[in-house]
Amino acid sequence: MSRYVIGRIGQAALVLWAAFTVSFILLQALPGDAILIKFLNPELGLGPEQIADIRASYGADSPLVVQYFHTAANFLTGQFGYSIHAGVPVGDLILANLPQTLWLSTLGFLLSVVLAVALAALSALSPFLWLRSFIQSIPALFISTPVFWLGILLIQIFSFQLKLIPIINPGPWQGLILPVMTLAVPISAPLAQILMRNIDHVLTEPFVAVARAKGASHRWVLWKHVAKNAVLPTLTIGGILFGELLAGAVVTEAVFGLNGLGGLTQRSVNDQDIAVLQAIVVFSATAFVLINLTVDLLYPVFDPRLRVRQGAVA
Amino acid sequence: MTLKSLSGSKAHLAALVGVTFLAGTSLWGSHAVAAGGEGAPAKGGTLVYLEQQPHTNLYPPAGGFYPNGGILNQITDKLTYQNPKTLEIEPWIAESWTVNADATEYTFKIRTGVTFSDGTPLDAAAVAKNYDTFGRGNKDLKLPISEVINNYDRSEVIDPQTVKFYFKKPSPGFLQGTSVIGSGLVSLKTLALPYEALGDATKIIGSGPFVVASETLGRELTLKARPEYNWGPAKLEHQGRAYLDEIKYIVTPEDSVRIGALLAGQADVIRQIQAYDEKQVEDEGYLIYAPSTRGVNNSVVFRPDNPLVADVKVRRALLHATNTEEIVATLFSTNYPKATSIIAKTASGYVDLSPKLSYDIAKAKQLLDEAGWKVGANGRRQKDGQTLELSAYESLPQPQNKETLQLVAQQWEKVGVKLNVLTADSGSATINNLDPAKAPVSPAMVGRADPDVIKSQYYPTNRNVLLQKGGNSDKVQSFVDERLNGLLDQLASEPDRSKRLAVAGEVQNYVVDQAYAIPIFEEPQAFAAAPYVKNVSFEAVGRPSFYSTWLAPRR
């Protein structure tokens, strides 16, 4: 057991180290650097010697190996450095952006699941073929709706025309309503499509015919047999989409003027603010590794076969 | 009175007074364009101000970035203040001052009783420390030198209320330099912080009418009025604390959301509104403020180190092939006056060069022919097997810059010259724009209301927009213009006012004669505000000041 745990933790640490190293190398390979970009900015009007001095004071010209170990040591002690562009500690920047991203993506995902299930249920239960094909075409409409346009439209209608939800100075929950709607629409589309396709597929299975032959109603068959079988593949794709949401809300964040990791990443790439990017990469890798580690460590708890095998090995 | 006629008369006034140049000129004209201004100012209330971008580093010399200046202007005071009506440099934190004949020694008497918001006194020692830091930088704290302070040597505290500054060479622009946003005075605690920690607005301790109360990084910033504030510029009508209780800055990147929120009554003032949106806002009875940035005009500049534009005839041909009138009429509004020199009409030392900037396509073609660039089979100009094909990178902060460059490209096409307008992330664009081979043409502008601004723009060790050797680019092979640099040196160190203005005129003529720059328009900072927001004012380069602003009841 303990060997299993140590092995998994070791693997996790290795993955983290690899993520750090690869991102360090890749980020250093970028053509410019944040210090240069920040201080060459005409707004400061600095001379070449002044810029050279500043570079030296940041240690930007020291050998890469030195910088690598320096950065690694800092990360290990929880010092992520400063954002050159924003002039604040990277840790503060991430803390200012992370909660919003988590709320936005979690709620956006939940709403998209609700939307997808509602669409699938409507389509499966609809008594007319024309209505059914109309509902089945809705996901295609959803997925081709530009997020940017949808966001602006929702703001125009609900905030500016109907004056229901202020976009400026909203309450903490109020402020999430429109962006969550904006995010959920495109994400619900593939979910709904897969759910519908699976329902159709399962409906053709022999056991459904058997259930029908026994006199089960359409509704009962759907609920008891089809739904269970159709949900599993949907969950798989849902997991992937949720990951996409965490980083992919850039447009929504920009339209609604929200903080978020997506926007932070985009701005940092723009300014080549390496310290921030490096921290985001390592942070995301840590989150991913921790989730997987937890799942791996929980396997033996839930699956007795694993426990036995591990016991035998140990 | 309508806003436009007001700003028109202001420009006229500013131009008039510009002739009698006042030692270092800041805070020209546009300001206090209060619509109506009827009744006594109401006290209290929160002003909701929508910003397009989050602020970055708030070290005062970094106040050039518009979002930074918009905050620093409310929370810091300056040594001097330039009255917008008389255009004189007036007392503020400094009660009085003396300058020696060759402008190498400045002595300021500091007002008593001024405190920073952390309770420490703003006295001679604090002023000396501020200017030592701005004028010399601080290597240990990585604080860069301020662009507006030239030839700074050292300070001397004569007594608690008297401070003297010494300069290595004459520094006639210094007095004006003490009135700009980049010279906002901050407490010793702030000056003790390293550069990278100054993006946190709560760490910027000034003596201004407002104090940073709270901040959500990248999203929101709240300023509160200082109740004990009693040291506004002495000659200002409004004394004592600010009328507003609070200013809320909310970052709202999307243009249409900012405008919509303003018109829906959710915001009071918004920064950055595009020319094509102005009409919609005005039709709804809201106000557009477009204070000039009063410096070097929005221009297209050449990098003569690139052999394609090394010949003055080619540059001159392209200057005459550019139809500025069409650009301004197509893309902008009356708030964007057509440029008639490399600096704005309202800038000190301005000379009218419109005859030299004519749109003349026949002349352009003739000049290109003379330079040996003949029209080839594909309609493009060619010489020795080379095509006259140039590139420029879009500048993101300038209004509709991409559209402007694309229109210039269309105009140049008519004389057979190709201009590629390139877009890149701001990082790569900054780097590539420093290479004359990659960017032989570049958009450029800078705001500051002193002739020193011309030096800032063109001098190799400053912004170096022409990319001379010895400046911020290591890609330059050989291009240096000693005559231009000599004139710029003279401009920044000529203590005699009228001689200095004459030099300013000479530089403008020289840059246009050499066709180093094609001036396009005088760039304003464009804001929109609700009609009940009274007494919005602006400093020299278009940053808002909310000290005297008040909110009338909404109708």
Side-chain angles (χ1 to χ4, degrees):
Chain A
M1 184 71 188
S2 64
R3 211 163 135 184
Y4 172 76
V5 172
I6 291 168
R8 279 291 185 256
I9 292 177
Q11 271 179 8
L14 204 69
V15 168
L16 276 183
W17 170 79
F20 174 81
T21 306
V22 171
S23 62
F24 183 86
I25 294 168
L26 288 177
L27 289 170
Q28 293 299 331
L30 282 174
D33 65 71
I35 301 173
L36 211 59
I37 288 162
K38 173 80 192 177
F39 291 98
L40 280 178
N41 190 329
E43 266 135 25
L44 288 172
L46 297 178
E49 292 120 51
Q50 292 163 24
I51 291 172
D53 279 351
I54 289 166
R55 286 183 64 79
S57 65
Y58 274 99
D61 294 326
S62 50
L64 269 189
V65 186
V66 175
Q67 290 190 43
Y68 174 80
F69 284 108
H70 184 72
T71 315
N74 279 342
F75 267 58
L76 283 176
T77 53
Q79 291 162 9
F80 302 107
Y82 283 88
S83 156
I84 303 281
H85 184 74
V88 284
V90 172
D92 290 3
L93 266 184
I94 290 190
L95 276 183
N97 287 281
L98 182 66
Q100 189 94 347
T101 295
L102 285 179
W103 277 118
L104 197 60
S105 43
T106 308
L107 293 176
F109 183 70
L110 288 179
L111 181 63
S112 70
V113 169
V114 171
L115 271 177
V117 170
L119 280 176
L122 277 177
S123 132
L125 293 173
S126 80
F128 312 108
L129 192 63
W130 62 267
L131 186 61
R132 208 172 128 80
S133 50
F134 170 73
I135 293 171
Q136 293 207 337
S137 67
I138 289 179
L141 177 74
F142 276 12
I143 207 160
S144 53
T145 305
V147 177
F148 174 78
W149 177 84
L150 181 66
I152 301 269
L153 187 79
L154 290 177
I155 292 174
Q156 286 289 346
I157 295 173
F158 291 102
S159 187
F160 298 161
Q161 300 300 322
L162 303 175
K163 299 188 194 287
L164 289 176
I165 304 162
I167 179 90
I168 304 303
N169 267 329
W173 295 105
Q174 251 182 343
L176 283 170
I177 299 174
L178 296 180
V180 162
M181 282 164 74
T182 310
L183 267 184
V185 165
I187 295 291
S188 70
L191 284 180
Q193 260 170 344
I194 286 164
L195 203 53
M196 287 172 183
R197 201 169 309 145
N198 279 301
I199 290 174
D200 286 352
H201 175 72
V202 177
L203 277 173
T204 63
E205 298 270 330
F207 73 87
V208 173
V210 173
R212 286 243 170 91
K214 284 181 177 171
S217 74
H218 182 57
R219 207 171 277 233
W220 193 84
V221 168
L222 271 180
W223 185 244
K224 275 284 169 198
H225 294 288
V226 180
K228 266 190 212 160
N229 284 290
V231 149
L232 277 172
T234 316
L235 274 183
T236 314
I237 195 83
I240 296 169
L241 285 173
F242 185 65
E244 226 171 76
L245 259 181
L246 276 171
V250 185
V251 175
T252 312
E253 287 167 11
V255 169
F256 290 91
L258 298 172
N259 268 350
L261 281 189
L264 179 67
T265 310
Q266 186 236 338
R267 283 196 301 276
S268 307
V269 169
N270 232 327
D271 302 317
Q272 302 186 5
D273 209 335
I274 290 171
V276 183
L277 289 173
Q278 178 96 56
I280 291 175
V281 170
V282 170
F283 178 82
S284 316
T286 310
F288 185 77
V289 163
L290 281 181
I291 291 170
N292 277 285
L293 186 64
T294 315
V295 171
D296 282 357
L297 293 180
L298 283 177
Y299 268 170
V301 178
F302 289 112
D303 193 337
R305 284 171 300 177
L306 261 175
R307 234 176 316 181
V308 171
R309 193 167 58 85
Q310 291 303 326
V313 169
Chain B
M1 195 188 296
T2 70
L3 264 181
K4 267 176 205 144
S5 70
L6 241 175
S7 53
S9 67
K10 291 261 161 61
H12 186 66
L13 172 71
L16 262 180
V17 187
V19 180
T20 54
F21 170 65
L22 298 140
T25 322
S26 165
L27 285 176
W28 291 114
S30 66
H31 32 268
V33 193
E38 70 280 7
K43 293 193 176 79
T46 299
L47 182 85
V48 177
Y49 177 91
L50 303 189
E51 237 312 331
Q52 189 199 22
Q53 292 166 279
H55 68 78
T56 58
N57 200 299
L58 292 171
Y59 175 57
F65 184 50
Y66 291 125
N68 296 3
I71 296 165
L72 283 171
N73 206 27
Q74 327 305 329
I75 63 176
T76 63
D77 293 330
K78 284 68 131 180
L79 262 188
T80 60
Y81 172 80
Q82 189 167 28
N83 185 312
K85 287 176 190 135
T86 64
L87 300 181
E88 272 176 74
I89 299 277
E90 288 183 356
W92 191 351
I93 296 305
E95 280 175 339
S96 61
W97 53 86
T98 53
V99 186
N100 71 345
D102 59 355
T104 53
E105 289 172 30
Y106 287 74
T107 311
F108 293 88
K109 252 262 113 0
I110 310 300
R111 183 170 185 161
T112 50
V114 181
T115 55
F116 291 109
S117 58
D118 60 2
T120 58
L122 200 181
D123 53 11
V127 173
K129 180 74 186 166
N130 269 273
Y131 278 90
D132 282 349
T133 310
F134 299 160
R136 295 198 296 232
N138 183 326
K139 266 187 205 176
D140 295 335
L141 299 175
K142 302 158 195 163
L143 298 170
I145 296 177
S146 166
E147 177 185 24
V148 297
I149 302 176
N150 278 308
N151 309 327
Y152 187 85
D153 185 24
R154 67 194 167 88
S155 66
E156 190 184 316
V157 178
I158 300 202
D159 65 53
Q161 302 306 133
T162 314
V163 61
K164 188 168 180 179
F165 299 113
Y166 295 89
F167 292 82
K168 290 179 221 152
K169 281 197 286 182
S171 191
F174 180 67
L175 189 63
Q176 191 269 351
T178 63
S179 74
V180 301
I181 285 180
S183 299
L185 300 166
V186 290
S187 98
L188 299 183
K189 267 185 210 158
T190 302
L191 288 177
L193 293 171
Y195 184 79
E196 60 258 34
L198 295 176
D200 179 347
T202 59
K203 301 236 165 77
I204 310 298
I205 309 292
S207 63
F210 292 93
V211 186
V212 177
S214 64
E215 177 180 26
T216 311
L217 279 178
R219 164 93 186 119
E220 223 175 279
L221 178 72
T222 306
L223 304 185
K224 280 202 163 29
R226 260 185 94 180
E228 73 274 28
Y229 186 84
N230 195 24
W231 43 84
K235 291 188 184 172
L236 221 61
E237 197 186 328
H238 172 210
Q239 292 293 316
R241 59 155 282 181
Y243 297 128
L244 295 168
D245 285 338
E246 237 182 34
I247 306 173
K248 228 178 172 120
Y249 292 75
I250 298 172
V251 178
T252 315
E254 178 49 39
D255 284 352
S256 66
V257 175
R258 281 199 311 284
I259 293 173
L262 176 75
L263 299 182
Q266 297 180 22
D268 306 311
V269 177
I270 64 173
R271 187 182 79 79
Q272 185 80 323
I273 160 161
Q274 301 293 353
Y276 47 77
D277 284 327
E278 286 181 3
K279 192 175 175 308
Q280 183 201 351
V281 172
E282 281 174 329
D283 285 351
E284 301 256 355
Y286 285 67
L287 310 171
I288 301 287
Y289 296 93
S292 167
T293 51
R294 272 157 240 280
V296 176
N297 286 330
N298 198 302
S299 312
V300 166
V301 299
F302 293 104
R303 276 66 190 276
D305 198 60
N306 186 314
L308 292 176
V309 293
D311 186 346
V312 66
K313 280 190 174 159
V314 171
R315 299 195 301 265
R316 220 174 266 162
L318 293 174
L319 184 149
H320 290 297
T322 308
N323 186 350
T324 318
E325 195 78 55
E326 186 189 34
I327 297 171
V328 174
T330 313
L331 297 173
F332 297 99
S333 69
T334 47
N335 290 319
Y336 298 72
K338 180 184 146 169
T340 48
S341 174
I342 56 165
I343 58 173
K345 275 194 243 20
T346 48
S348 45
Y350 161 84
V351 287
D352 186 356
L353 298 177
S354 356
K356 292 186 179 178
L357 297 169
S358 60
Y359 172 56
D360 188 341
I361 210 160
K363 195 169 176 182
K365 285 180 178 163
Q366 184 202 333
L367 281 163
L368 285 170
D369 287 337
E370 280 173 26
W373 291 95
K374 307 286 182 203
V375 181
N378 56 357
R380 295 267 154 75
R381 296 272 167 180
Q382 281 165 337
K383 181 179 166 181
D384 309 330
Q386 239 187 334
T387 310
L388 194 47
E389 182 172 344
L390 308 166
S391 306
Y393 279 90
E394 168 199 15
S395 159
L396 292 168
Q398 294 175 25
Q400 298 196 76
N401 188 249
K402 191 175 182 189
E403 292 78 1
T404 305
L405 289 174
Q406 280 166 342
L407 195 48
V408 168
Q410 283 178 28
Q411 294 171 352
W412 289 4
E413 191 77 55
K414 290 181 193 156
V415 295
V417 178
K418 168 107 175 137
L419 174 68
N420 299 310
V421 181
L422 306 176
T423 314
D425 64 88
S426 58
S428 318
T430 306
I431 304 294
N432 290 342
N433 205 20
L434 286 174
D435 186 347
K438 286 183 179 154
V441 174
S442 174
M445 79 77 56
V446 56
R448 184 193 166 188
D450 185 90
D452 271 6
V453 75
I454 309 176
K455 178 181 176 250
S456 288
Q457 183 78 329
Y458 297 104
Y459 204 67
T461 55
N462 293 118
R463 297 181 184 226
N464 195 24
V465 288
L466 306 178
L467 294 184
Q468 299 192 51
K469 203 171 167 60
N472 47 8
S473 166
D474 53 6
K475 300 281 193 314
V476 180
Q477 303 298 318
S478 62
F479 173 64
V480 175
D481 188 330
E482 294 297 354
R483 169 144 169 71
L484 175 67
N485 296 340
L487 283 171
L488 294 171
D489 269 330
Q490 228 183 315
L491 182 69
S493 54
E494 173 56 63
D496 184 280
R497 201 180 288 167
S498 58
K499 279 189 198 155
R500 187 160 178 244
L501 283 186
V503 177
E506 225 178 306
V507 182
Q508 290 166 67
N509 269 293
Y510 184 74
V511 170
V512 169
D513 288 342
Q514 290 297 314
Y516 284 143
I518 307 171
I520 312 279
F521 61 85
E522 302 185 357
E523 188 170 318
Q525 258 288 293
F527 300 81
Y532 54 80
V533 182
K534 306 291 181 188
N535 268 333
V536 178
S537 57
F538 298 93
E539 57 79 71
V541 289
R543 273 69 168 178
S545 163
F546 297 120
Y547 173 49
S548 305
T549 302
W550 54 280
L551 301 172
R554 298 191 191 194
R555 272 171 235 133

